[in-house]
Amino acid sequence: MWEPAWASWFPRCLVLVIAAQRASSEDSAPRRCDETDYIYQYTECDTTGSRWRVAIPLSPGSCSDLPPPSRGMDCSFSCSAGEFLEMSTQSCTPCAAGSYSLGSGLRFDQWDSLPGGFISIASFLNARQHGDDIQACNSSMWTPQGVYLESNRDECTVSLVYVVHLEKQGSVSFTYQYPDNNIFFEFYVQNEQCQEMSQSEEQKWLKVTNNGEWGTHEISLWAGTNILYWRTTGILVSGKRVKPVLLRDINIEGVSYGSECFPCRPGWFSPAAGSASCQPCPSNTFSSKGSPSCSPCPENHYSQEGWAECKVKLPCSEKDYFQIHTACDNEGKTQAEYRWVKPKVCNENATDAIPLPGSGERKPCPPCNPGFYNSNDSTCLPCPPGSHSDGTYACIQCPAGTEPVLGYEYRWWNVLPYNMKTSCFNVGNSKCDGMNGWEVAGDYVRSGAGSSDNDYLILSLHLSGFKVPASLSGMSSGEVGQIAFEFETDCTADCEFYFMMDVQNKGTTVVESWEGSKEKQLYSHSMTQNNSVTFTWAFQRTSHALDVRHFVGDSVKIFSIHVTNVLDGVASGCRACALVPENSQRAGSSCVPCPPGFYINAETNRCKECPPNTHLAGRHTYGQEACVPCGPGSMSNEDHSRCYSNCSFSHVENNRTLTYDLSALSRVASLTLDPSFTTKGTKYLHLFNISLCGHQGKRAAVCRNNLTDFSSVFNKDDRGDAAQLANAVDSFICQSTIIPADGRGFRMPISSQSIGLADIFLGATVDGVLDGVSAQPDLFPRNTNNVPDINFFFRSTQVTASCEQGRSSVITVRCNTKKSERGDLSVPGSCPAGTCDGCTFHFLWESASACPRCTENDYHQLDGACKGSIQETFYLWNEPKLCTRGVSLPARSSAPCEAIAMLLKFGLGGGAFLAVLLVSLTCYFWKKNKRLEYKYSRLVMTANKECELPAPDSCGLDEGEEPDDDAVYTRKPSLLGKLRAIAKKHGGGDSSESVQLNSSHADRWVLG
């Protein structure tokens, strides 16, 4: 039955065949086609699930009489694993020895080259003009490395793409290694219309794996065309060399049939027909591609499991053996021994070979580790519960009123502790599986030789959990335990040492790493969750794929490991604990936990609350000295676990108390710095979330990793327990690195590398230094107003490889009335990332709320004029106004005033004028009276006799002469006398008249 699909293409195919036959007949008579001239293929399935088998010539026109089309097997047909569909007979046939088949599936596990159908596409999705970024990414690709594919390490976006057509619903699974979150790794599926399959974020973004461990990922596929994308993008913002993603063993289920079997890759074999998989060749054997068996290596040659060829054994050298210390014997003795590195790949019988050194001198065994005791057979056993030992004496019971200090403290490394394991892992093959990655050496445990330089040498310590002892129950800081270890690295290559942690088997995360040689140092990490945990130390001499041991001398040594508050730990000593209260009916020697914020009184061994504004610091609660006073400008929270600012601050300046209310700054603030770009142009942002004060001491700033939208990134003031959120940190100040959606072509923003910068609030002060942390005011513009800046000092206790004392932060709060109440945050212009050394961060917060509260000293009074018998009083702020809230300006007031007050002013002025005039007249008349006295005295002197008037010279006035009416007395009369004389003159009594006389000598008045 001819179906529509066949009808659509068969005429065209027939035309091509006829045309080819005509063309060949014109030249020469074509020969008949045999089976080597064509291949069979199926047509596309039609709507009824049917298809046709057609012969396709390998070289069109080279032969004639191709087999005619025939009906094919139904589209739902598939062969079993180990079989393939023989197209000539359309029947399932077993695979030959040396090959394998998955039946209805596909498997890709050989990566000597990129298999057919796979393409690697490199791009820089926010490419600039002229294609500069695209050209820079031309060399970025997924690189075949034999047994796995390796992703790019740079900032380019590289996609591994494979297109598969499924006749029914199927699945895809693959094994991957993703050790570095500085590379973003996603897997997604699209259909032929480029529509993306609905996937959860967990399915799309793959989880980070432990160094040296492989993860498996599987998702379902729909029937039809599926376009598979494995996409990686490096984010080189931390300056560290990133580790690539490794991909291997891709399996696809749901294809209709397999038309051929896959040959076993070199180093592998399948001994029987109908195999569904191949097996690796054992050590010291090899095989070529498609081999049914493995061949032994020649003499003085060796190979590892799965090798395709054998190598010559070189003469043995110092790199081929290592030193260990034997376990203590019955006499308590130990000695150094030397052993060949396994597997042994050197020839000790060669002429210039170095022989294995003999055993060392037997020496007394070191003491047991604290908490253990030496048994009769010279083995170290843990002390029974309730007892303790320092490792040199028998276990002793803790006295009454004390409790054992549980934990593990490993100082001596004669044997590996029972809860520690060591292993070796190589990403490319399993040749170091079963080898010891670390070896004990008495005073330390050191990295082993491994089988090649790029092996991961792994040491792990498993703990069942933590338990805060009763003596520390008063502390509620969130720390349940601590691990500290002392180490050093000595490297000539690009070695790297990792410290990792896996909580409740939910995935291993890298806590800290060190590159290159490091001097002997102590590192500590606090635990905040009471869960089972596995600590892992991993050492890799080089990240390059080197199948040699050139750097076997590069090593790491761990001298001691100390873990506190371990649930099933041993005790090295006893600690005083709180006793049952005296009024309790329980036994008086029993230890009880203290409530949060209580310390153990040293005199009574009873719980007592810490004084106000103190907090429990350190790792003990015995004695009142355990309650440490809070810093300036801070107070303790309710349970005395930490100090914080309640958003109020006071300062005395020039005999004036400045009071600040910073409650407007209590809400968590965000600061996003200007975009930065990596060497290839990747745009990234630093986001800071800051909780300055308030929140009852809660560290309210939260930063998350692996986010998919900015609503979560900027959700700063979480009400839930943010510390329990996966991939989140809470702090007073935290930082995240944001890759915006437009920065690399991501479909959503990415948040990563979240760290806490401020776990402890040290205090707030106007001083520039507090507890060794400097505010460095010269980093910001100078404060030009008279209001001092307030410096908030913070510190993080978590040390890093570059910040041995931990990170610290300073927020300078400055009064600026031109800003809003929330104000603006900024970082120093000379340190655009907020820090100049990577350890101390500086912020400037300018706000109107940072001004002191207004008082009566901040305004002045102004009285108006008296108008209409009313006088108004005004109040104005002092300029410039440098205060906020507080007291308000008094309201404008008015009071009655009287106009007479103005008349009084005029009266006083007139009175003063008259007084001056009277004084002037008095002076004038006094002067005139003096002149009259002078004339009178002249008259007396010229008289002929006493009391006789002189003869007049003339009774008339000369021309131009004025009469002189001035009277001259013989004696000076008083003012009262003058008034009497005038009265008599007008009264008509006996009196004498004054007569004006002229004389040639003098003029006188004579009284008669």
Side-chain angles (χ1 to χ4, degrees), residues 376-432:
N376 294 331
D377 58 355
S378 299
T379 59
C380 293
L381 300 177
C383 286
S387 61
H388 68 94
S389 172
D390 66 354
T392 60
Y393 55 79
C395 301
I396 304 174
Q397 285 293 123
C398 289
T402 65
E403 63 177 346
V405 182
L406 297 179
Y408 288 108
E409 186 176 2
Y410 298 132
R411 301 183 201 165
W412 307 106
W413 302 95
N414 203 47
V415 293
L416 199 64
Y418 70 94
N419 56 354
M420 298 188 72
K421 295 190 301 182
T422 177
S423 60
C424 176
F425 184 84
N426 189 286
V427 297
N429 50 57
S430 58
K431 60 187 178 181
C432 78

Side-chain angles (χ1 to χ4, degrees), residues 903-961:
L903 296 177
L904 181 60
K905 293 179 181 179
F906 283 110
L908 291 176
F913 174 78
L914 293 176
V916 172
L917 180 62
L918 181 60
V919 171
S920 301
L921 291 176
T922 302
C923 293
Y924 172 77
F925 285 114
W926 177 79
K927 184 177 181 180
K928 197 166 187 178
N929 185 53
K930 282 293 187 179
R931 192 168 60 187
L932 290 176
E933 288 181 350
Y934 173 75
K935 290 182 179 180
Y936 174 75
S937 63
R938 293 290 300 272
L939 288 175
V940 173
M941 292 175 61
T942 56
N944 292 329
K945 59 181 179 179
E946 187 176 1
C947 298
E948 185 178 357
L949 294 172
D953 293 334
S954 173
C955 294
L957 295 175
D958 295 331
E959 184 178 0
E961 186 178 25

